[in-house]
Amino acid sequence: MKPLHLVPDDVNVPFLKFRKIFYIVSLAMVLVSVGLFLTKGLNFGIDFRGGILVEIKTDGPADIGALRDNLGSLGLGDVSIQEFGEPDDVLIQLQRQDGDEQAQMAALATVTKALGDDVTIRRSELVGPKVGDELKEAGVYSVAISLLLIMIYIWFRFEWQFAVASVVALLHDVLITIGFFVITGVQFDLATLAAVLTVAGYSINDTVVVFDRIREYLRKFRKMDIPDLLDLSINSTLSRTTMTSFTTLLALIALFVFGGEAIRGFTMALIFGIMIGTYSSICVASPLLMVLRLRRKIPEGEETQEAGA
Amino acid sequence: MLYFTKWKAALVLLVCALGVIYAIPNFLPKGTFATDASYLPGKQINLGLDLRGGSHMLLEVDINSVIRERYEALGDTIRSTLREERIRYRPRDAGLNGAEVTVVNADEVEKARDLIRNVEPDTVMSGEGNNIIVSYTDQARKELVDRAISQSLEVVRRRVDELGTTEPSIQRQGEDRIVVQVPGLDDPSRLRAILGRTAKMNFHLVNEEKTASEARATGMPPGTMILPSADAGDRAAGINEYLIDRRVVVSGDNLVDSQPTFNEGRPVVSFRFDAAGGARFGDMTSKNAGRRLAIILDGEVISAPRINEPILGGNGIITGQFSVQEANDLSLLLRAGALPAPMQILEERSVGPGLGQDSVEAGEIAAILGLIFVVAFMVISYGRFGVYADIALLINLILVLAVMSVLQATLTLPGIAGIVLTVGMAVDANVLIFERIREERNNGRTIINAIDAGYRSAMSTILDANLTTLIAALVLFSFGSGPIKGFAVTLAIGIVTSMFSAIWVTRLLIAVWVKRRRPTELVI
């Protein structure tokens, strides 16, 4: 049996020719994401906002309307009630209560009491104001630190142009993934933050593979024009880039469909982020090297000979 | 280079075999290999609370209240010392900065300072003019806090143990926090109820000169306070608060036991004092027969019975409108003792056993299906080489389970997601190698040459690519909490083991194939 190739061996797409289009598309996506993030904002889960979450299982399909009337009349502020995966599974979320941690505790007790004994409480979470703020802070730190560490690593291993290009591509992926959350309104909690960080790691992984090849070809084809060389590098790694993204997506789709409601947002972030990451390492990171005026490292004395090569 | 030395091949096989041995207990019923030796196989992966069901609570001890209390006591000592030496002073309220006193005569300030230094050596003094602020040294303050936390830990442990659950974990976190993890708990509200109480119980006398509302209107008698009643019977009778003598007649510290029991068919709580407490209680009840005794728990009157006759044996009961559950909880709290300071629940995450089980099942299905998809796709894409990569993938999964069992790492729901993600990403190294081999073959190299070059030139890329992902995983591990840590752990372990399996296991398989079959054509 002849193996099936996702990408033909002799693929030759002139990516660099389209780079202006990629820049415009990417810039537009980033701007929309940042704009929406600043205006509409993320739908933060209780991990970061503080508040209460209760997941219940009812006898038979849940009567969301009745639950809403029941819990809405308790005077605990905004109560969000939604079906969670199954008709008899309901997720109840309460906003952070005014006052200190004691107030949150009291509200949780009130809700459990109002729900009565007819429903099974499958999960209850309470995040007080203090912990919510701390988690938010830790989240910001973790994103910043991992970006910084990755940048330092790339800078050590490659020329500075590669480091800058990879971090720009990385920020691109992270921002657009966040934009995805703003647009879809999917809740942003600790798990989705972890997904965003994983996307960062994954996206850099893809970029590094292409960069490795560029570096190799820079040494090998000393007379080739940089744009041609970039195109050749992207094309010769294209099969691998798509293969790995594809296998990862296969696994994630299984997780998305069968992994249960609780990690659906997390999986969604990963699926979206990995697609964006693949796009950016092919269409953004490598072309950016041109903008950053990547040159061969020219040994002393050979300057005139090699210049413009 | 495709040639494998015997010992190298043996080493690869040994690692795989060890992986299988350490991973196997996870597929057998718990306790199949009961062993205490940590290096022997037999241990299963720890399931996180989100998978096995249970409660996680983060508590914060109100350190300020401990310090304020200690400064009040310090203020008392200082004042009585000054009184003995006949130094005139004006008292001030103790704050968080220290006990404060103002000496009336300026020429006595030095003497006062010397006296205080003698009685309380672990303090430093500040303050200007006649003011003296006495506070603990940093060392003494730290010891104070540490003692309060370790006492709190002890009390929390006794309370949680009373719930009768298996393997609860109670740990200090940071300066003033305690993490309580109780697996397999059916009702987190009970845990919440018993952890949220300070359970400081004291006996006071009810002041019956006036009622509480009269006192409010006409002025409080000296040395009294008004406390709310928590007794449903009182409430029903229209009594919401009591006027209480401030003086503690017997302290709850002297209790040694407490049990829920029944009196005239109603749930009550019995208690027993130690010898000193019993004597004081007998003495007090003899002197105050006919008066009402207020039993005060955390600033509320839970019962205020009239003393009909002296209670001499050191035993007593608390009556009130208790439900059986309330009587159980109250006696539990009294048995376990009072917390040195109030605690607040900062965070709670509880998962019922049903949901945990569902999550495990969903995770298993997703992992198996993801595995099947990837395995099939690799065979379709790379033929024989795909099969080798699949074998490496399975070995990688086994190694992840083995490493997690050995390290006794905790598997959480996001951790399962991490494993599934690893399935997708672990083949990456093989994809890199195989694509490279394909290129080298297309460049006209011989079979062995192409395979060799493929492995060699893919190496640095594999290293770079995996290290960057590892960086993200390590950052997640150090910043993430609970379940997220679980994700970082499986991801990190998966990355490391996949480098071994994807490089060495496939290489060994291919080497054996090339040696045995001497292929003339490279289909990849």
Side-chain angles (χ1 to χ4, degrees):
Chain A
M1 186 183 79
K2 188 155 170 39
L4 173 94
H5 293 183
L6 268 190
V7 175
D9 284 0
D10 52 357
V11 64
N12 189 12
V13 185
F15 287 102
L16 270 276
K17 216 170 97 187
F18 304 119
R19 66 175 188 276
K20 294 232 165 71
I21 301 175
F22 297 139
Y23 291 155
I24 293 169
V25 170
S26 287
L27 198 65
M29 287 197 288
V30 169
L31 287 180
V32 168
S33 299
V34 172
L36 281 173
F37 174 71
L38 293 177
T39 52
K40 190 176 166 217
L42 279 169
N43 175 16
F44 283 114
I46 64 159
D47 288 341
F48 299 122
R49 239 177 341 122
I52 291 166
L53 175 154
V54 181
E55 187 190 332
I56 57 170
K57 205 166 191 78
T58 50
D59 249 354
D63 184 351
I64 304 272
L67 274 170
R68 189 160 288 143
D69 290 344
N70 178 3
L71 299 176
S73 63
L74 297 174
L76 296 172
D78 257 353
V79 182
S80 127
I81 298 174
Q82 70 203 83
E83 198 180 289
F84 198 61
E86 317 264 331
D88 61 347
D89 213 329
V90 182
L91 192 70
I92 301 164
Q93 293 187 74
L94 266 71
Q95 66 178 45
R96 167 173 165 173
Q97 304 293 307
D98 289 336
D100 63 354
E101 340 296 302
Q102 219 72 47
Q104 321 295 321
M105 230 44 244
L108 178 54
T110 314
V111 170
T112 357
K113 204 168 157 202
L115 287 170
D117 294 334
D118 302 340
V119 301
T120 318
I121 294 184
R122 293 191 17 116
R123 169 161 68 117
S124 60
E125 293 182 5
L126 176 150
V127 178
K130 218 180 251 179
V131 172
D133 291 345
E134 286 170 8
L135 289 176
K136 209 181 251 174
E137 197 173 297
V140 172
Y141 276 134
S142 56
V143 172
I145 289 178
S146 48
L147 292 189
L148 194 72
L149 286 179
I150 289 172
M151 188 155 80
I152 292 173
Y153 180 78
I154 302 288
W155 180 53
F156 262 78
R157 296 279 297 169
F158 295 89
E159 311 294 309
W160 66 267
Q161 287 98 334
F162 289 97
V164 174
S166 61
V167 169
V168 171
L170 191 58
L171 278 175
H172 166 272
D173 300 343
V174 168
L175 290 177
I176 294 177
T177 308
I178 289 177
F180 170 78
F181 276 93
V182 179
I183 290 171
T184 55
V186 171
Q187 209 160 66
F188 196 84
D189 50 24
L190 274 180
T192 31
L193 179 73
V196 170
L197 281 180
T198 314
V199 165
Y202 187 89
S203 137
I204 205 79
N205 172 324
D206 256 4
T207 310
V208 162
V209 172
V210 184
F211 281 5
D212 255 355
R213 189 55 73 95
I214 294 174
R215 187 168 54 176
E216 184 188 329
Y217 282 179
L218 278 176
R219 290 190 203 116
K220 199 165 160 190
F221 304 111
R222 304 182 67 88
K223 300 271 177 195
M224 197 185 279
D225 280 341
I226 294 282
D228 291 342
L229 190 141
L230 294 181
D231 259 341
L232 181 68
S233 309
I234 301 173
N235 274 298
S236 50
T237 50
L238 197 58
S239 177
R240 174 271 161 188
T241 309
T242 44
M243 269 299 290
T244 302
S245 300
F246 197 77
T247 55
T248 309
L249 285 176
L250 279 179
L252 284 174
I253 287 168
L255 197 62
F256 180 75
V257 178
F258 302 101
E261 197 63 32
I263 46 172
R264 200 146 284 166
F266 171 80
T267 326
M268 216 168 1
L270 282 174
I271 290 176
F272 182 83
I274 279 167
M275 292 197 290
I276 282 292
T278 308
Y279 157 79
S280 79
S281 46
I282 296 173
C283 305
V284 180
S286 309
L288 259 185
L289 290 175
M290 275 212 48
V291 181
L292 295 168
R293 298 176 182 277
L294 173 70
R295 281 164 216 270
R296 292 186 172 80
K297 268 215 167 153
I298 302 149
E300 300 274 326
E302 287 180 56
E303 201 158 337
T304 44
Q305 204 182 332
E306 293 281 341
Chain B
M1 272 305 280
L2 249 185
Y3 175 71
F4 255 82
T5 55
K6 281 226 170 68
W7 65 266
K8 220 179 214 173
L11 200 64
V12 172
L13 291 175
L14 179 73
V15 171
C16 297
L18 281 177
V20 172
I21 292 171
Y22 279 93
I24 272 179
N26 290 297
F27 300 97
L28 300 171
K30 209 177 165 111
T32 308
F33 304 98
T35 168
D36 291 330
S38 59
Y39 52 88
L40 285 180
K43 283 181 307 225
Q44 292 185 328
I45 293 173
N46 275 325
L47 289 188
L49 289 179
D50 57 342
L51 294 181
R52 70 200 291 204
S55 284
H56 160 102
M57 287 195 193
L58 177 65
L59 307 160
E60 188 178 63
V61 180
D62 185 1
I63 286 300
N64 285 347
S65 89
V66 179
I67 291 173
R68 194 175 294 121
E69 212 169 84
R70 287 301 298 262
Y71 279 143
E72 274 164 15
L74 185 64
D76 281 346
T77 321
I78 292 169
R79 282 190 292 272
S80 65
T81 313
L82 295 183
R83 260 198 309 277
E84 278 170 27
E85 296 295 323
R86 300 183 185 282
I87 296 176
R88 287 184 39 217
Y89 63 89
R90 275 192 296 275
R92 307 220 168 236
D93 281 340
L96 284 175
N97 296 325
E100 205 178 335
V101 69
T102 307
V103 178
V104 175
N105 296 325
D107 47 341
E108 284 181 326
V109 173
E110 262 323 297
K111 193 181 167 200
R113 282 178 178 255
D114 285 342
L115 281 170
I116 296 169
R117 222 184 320 272
N118 273 335
V119 218
E120 295 285 347
D122 286 340
T123 56
V124 285
M125 273 173 273
S126 56
E128 288 171 5
N130 292 7
N131 248 11
I132 305 176
I133 300 171
V134 189
S135 35
Y136 287 113
T137 59
D138 286 347
Q139 180 65 25
R141 187 184 178 282
K142 189 179 171 299
E143 276 167 19
L144 191 73
V145 170
D146 284 346
R147 198 160 47 237
I149 300 289
S150 55
Q151 273 172 21
S152 303
L153 275 172
E154 196 44 50
V155 172
V156 167
R157 181 162 298 128
R158 281 201 297 263
R159 290 186 188 175
V160 173
D161 281 346
E162 293 270 358
L163 290 177
T165 53
T166 52
E167 314 167 46
S169 135
I170 294 148
Q171 278 168 336
R172 178 173 182 177
Q173 189 181 72
E175 196 202 13
D176 55 1
R177 293 186 177 178
I178 295 175
V179 181
V180 178
Q181 294 193 303
V182 188
L185 192 69
D186 286 336
D187 181 12
S189 62
R190 177 112 199 268
L191 182 65
R192 229 177 276 147
I194 64 164
L195 289 183
R197 306 281 292 270
T198 311
K200 200 163 258 175
M201 187 168 87
N202 282 315
F203 296 87
H204 293 246
L205 287 168
V206 176
N207 188 305
E208 289 174 281
E209 293 166 30
K210 298 177 180 178
T211 66
S213 45
E214 283 166 10
R216 231 186 256 290
T218 61
M220 307 270 288
T224 60
M225 57 187 173
I226 293 175
L227 290 180
S229 168
D231 184 18
D234 281 352
R235 295 257 173 96
I239 304 167
N240 291 320
E241 45 192 19
Y242 285 99
L243 185 68
I244 307 284
D245 282 350
R246 272 183 188 277
R247 202 170 65 87
V248 176
V249 286
V250 183
S251 149
D253 296 348
N254 293 89
L255 285 179
V256 286
D257 191 22
S258 174
Q259 293 296 333
T261 168
F262 285 91
N263 184 28
E264 295 167 5
R266 296 237 307 264
V268 296
V269 175
S270 73
F271 59 85
R272 189 156 57 78
F273 280 110
D274 59 13
R280 212 171 308 144
F281 197 67
D283 186 40
M284 185 270 297
T285 45
S286 318
K287 280 185 191 150
N288 296 295
R291 289 195 67 178
R292 291 184 78 176
L293 180 70
I295 304 169
I296 293 168
L297 184 75
D298 294 340
E300 287 183 329
V301 180
I302 52 170
S303 183
R306 198 165 293 283
I307 305 168
N308 294 324
E309 59 202 50
I311 303 169
L312 296 173
N315 290 305
I317 55 169
I318 304 171
T319 55
Q321 298 264 330
F322 299 126
S323 66
V324 175
Q325 175 80 59
E326 282 165 347
N328 279 333
D329 284 354
L330 178 57
S331 60
L332 182 161
L333 290 172
L334 294 182
R335 270 200 306 280
L339 289 168
M343 279 191 322
Q344 274 191 329
I345 299 177
L346 296 185
E347 185 188 19
E348 183 207 316
R349 291 173 199 268
S350 301
V351 171
L355 180 62
Q357 190 55 41
D358 288 358
S359 295
V360 172
E361 278 161 19
E364 274 173 3
I365 293 175
I368 290 169
L369 283 175
L371 189 65
I372 291 174
F373 288 164
V374 173
V375 162
F377 186 70
M378 286 301 282
V379 175
I380 294 172
S381 297
Y382 297 110
R384 171 184 293 277
F385 286 79
V387 175
Y388 294 154
D390 288 340
I391 295 173
L393 180 58
L394 287 175
I395 289 178
N396 180 44
L397 274 182
I398 290 171
L399 288 176
V400 170
L401 293 181
V403 172
M404 291 195 68
S405 309
V406 173
L407 296 181
Q408 286 289 286
T410 303
L411 183 66
T412 61
L413 182 56
I416 295 182
I419 292 182
V420 178
L421 190 64
T422 307
V423 168
M425 289 173 63
V427 292
D428 180 48
N430 283 128
V431 170
L432 279 167
I433 295 166
F434 297 166
E435 291 291 332
R436 206 62 198 232
I437 294 178
R438 200 186 272 173
E439 274 175 51
E440 301 292 344
R441 179 203 59 188
N442 292 349
N443 288 344
R445 291 204 190 217
T446 63
I447 293 173
I448 296 187
N449 246 331
I451 294 174
D452 215 28
Y455 272 95
R456 204 174 39 236
S457 33
M459 212 56 158
S460 90
T461 314
I462 294 173
L463 210 62
D464 278 337
N466 282 308
L467 273 174
T468 46
T469 314
L470 200 59
I471 290 176
L474 292 181
V475 172
L476 268 178
F477 183 76
S478 43
F479 279 90
S481 65
I484 302 302
K485 254 200 173 86
F487 172 70
V489 167
T490 52
L491 193 64
I493 294 177
I495 290 168
V496 175
T497 54
S498 80
M499 298 226 300
F500 164 80
S501 61
I503 297 170
W504 290 103
V505 174
T506 57
R507 195 168 173 151
L508 180 62
L509 291 169
I510 292 172
V512 169
W513 169 67
V514 169
K515 198 174 168 195
R516 292 233 174 115
R517 297 287 178 83
R518 309 245 164 237
T520 51
E521 194 192 5
L522 196 57
V523 182
I524 183 166

